[in-house]
Amino acid sequence: MSRRLLPLRVVAGGLGLAAGVVALVAVLGMTGGWTPTGAGPGPAQASPAQSPPGPSTPWPSRRATTSAPRPLSVVGVGDSVAAGTSCDCAPFVERFAELVGTRDGRPTAAANLGLPGLTTGSLAAQLGQPGPSRSVARADLVVVTIGANDLVPLEDQWERAGCDPACMAPAVAAMGRGLAADLARIRALGGSGQRVEVTTYWNVFEDGDVADRQRGAGFADWSDRVTVAANRVICATTRTYGGTCVDLYAPFLSADGSRNPTSLLASDGDHPNAAGHALIARALLAATPR
């Protein structure tokens, strides 16, 4: 197959006044509360306030007064890759949250808002809805995978008459502007304490054996060029908005793009299978500080 470029107890005595001072002195002397002048000290006795508790009165537990840590909230947004389409498995958003919790010894809560077919424009619309906007606003960490569907029209152009870099550039630039709007919205919702991680793609279109079989000669190399261009824009835009760009190209394909990713893809050749989602979760974990 052609392959590529690249979470004091006062004890009130029953003494009457007739007992007089003698009885009081006796009581105080016995309790160690007062010593007559010239008398030597009596046996040392701890007051009730100083006595260590016995077996029936244990020391207060510090643990009992310490509240459990708040779960780390992880929210995923994006397209069918984030949604887990064609996998019938736990998508990478949920897997990643579990890995972070295990590594850091902290409870986590994951919410996956990924939807098949989302573009950068339709993600912007989703982020404007009350439910998703609240989820994103409350999240400690937001994971974003978006942009591939913006580029789908390029496939038709390639099939009709080819699509060189000049043909790709406007669509890739428009995708970048859409991503910028999405990240600006996420940043406005979550504020400066929120961490945002944006993934790239191994391929914005089909890949592996399926692509070779269904798309024919030349498609793998062409789609790789589109993907590399898109990933550059995704990372540059992410950094502009203070996010972390998480590379998926090298984990799936190797740094030079030469590895066949079929074993990481679902039967449609377009979405990750369980192994692919596990790989994405590990890549996100590696990019996330403790």
Side-chain angles (χ1 to χ4, degrees):
M1 176 181 68
S2 176
R3 251 13 285 134
R4 337 205 201 267
L5 306 173
L6 310 162
L8 176 59
R9 190 170 49 145
V10 177
V11 176
L15 299 177
L17 293 176
V21 176
V22 174
L24 178 60
V25 169
V27 171
L28 293 176
M30 290 171 63
T31 61
W34 174 73
T35 302
T37 303
Q45 295 185 12
S47 71
Q50 297 170 326
S51 299
S56 62
T57 55
W59 289 112
S61 170
R62 181 177 299 176
R63 182 176 301 173
T65 62
T66 302
S67 59
R70 181 181 62 84
L72 181 79
S73 172
V74 179
V75 172
V77 299
D79 56 27
S80 55
V81 176
T85 297
S86 300
C87 180
D88 191 24
C89 68
F92 70 80
V93 174
E94 289 87 337
R95 290 170 182 257
F96 169 51
E98 184 177 356
L99 289 176
V100 170
T102 299
R103 184 194 69 181
D104 296 350
R106 180 178 180 181
T108 57
N112 192 342
L113 306 182
L115 289 174
L118 282 193
T119 62
T120 57
S122 51
L123 175 57
Q126 184 192 36
L127 292 171
Q129 297 170 3
S133 64
R134 282 195 299 268
S135 293
V136 170
R138 295 168 180 171
D140 299 299
L141 198 160
V142 179
V143 181
V144 183
T145 300
I146 199 71
N149 291 322
D150 294 54
L151 305 175
V152 167
L154 294 179
E155 286 185 294
D156 292 336
Q157 293 184 45
W158 180 81
E159 288 181 347
R160 287 197 307 269
C163 184
D164 61 14
C167 164
M168 302 172 194
V172 172
M175 180 272 292
R177 291 191 295 272
L179 176 61
D182 293 338
L183 295 180
R185 175 62 175 165
I186 290 170
R187 185 174 182 178
L189 287 169
S192 60
Q194 186 180 79
R195 181 176 179 83
V196 178
E197 298 181 356
V198 184
T199 71
T200 64
Y201 293 89
W202 58 97
N203 200 313
V204 293
F205 306 128
E206 297 93 332
D207 206 342
D209 295 347
V210 170
D212 289 343
R213 183 171 63 250
Q214 295 183 355
R215 295 293 190 170
F219 181 80
D221 289 333
W222 174 77
S223 66
D224 186 71
R225 288 193 289 272
V226 178
T227 301
V228 170
N231 287 346
R232 288 194 185 113
V233 171
I234 289 171
C235 283
T237 305
T238 298
R239 287 191 290 267
T240 296
Y241 286 87
T244 298
C245 188
V246 181
D247 175 50
L248 299 185
Y249 186 94
F252 272 77
L253 303 172
S254 76
D256 63 0
S258 63
R259 183 188 302 136
N260 186 329
T262 298
S263 65
L264 298 171
L265 301 177
S267 59
D268 61 4
D270 194 26
H271 299 93
N273 58 19
H277 278 280
L279 181 61
I280 297 172
R282 292 195 300 272
L284 286 164
L285 183 69
T288 307
R290 293 181 180 272

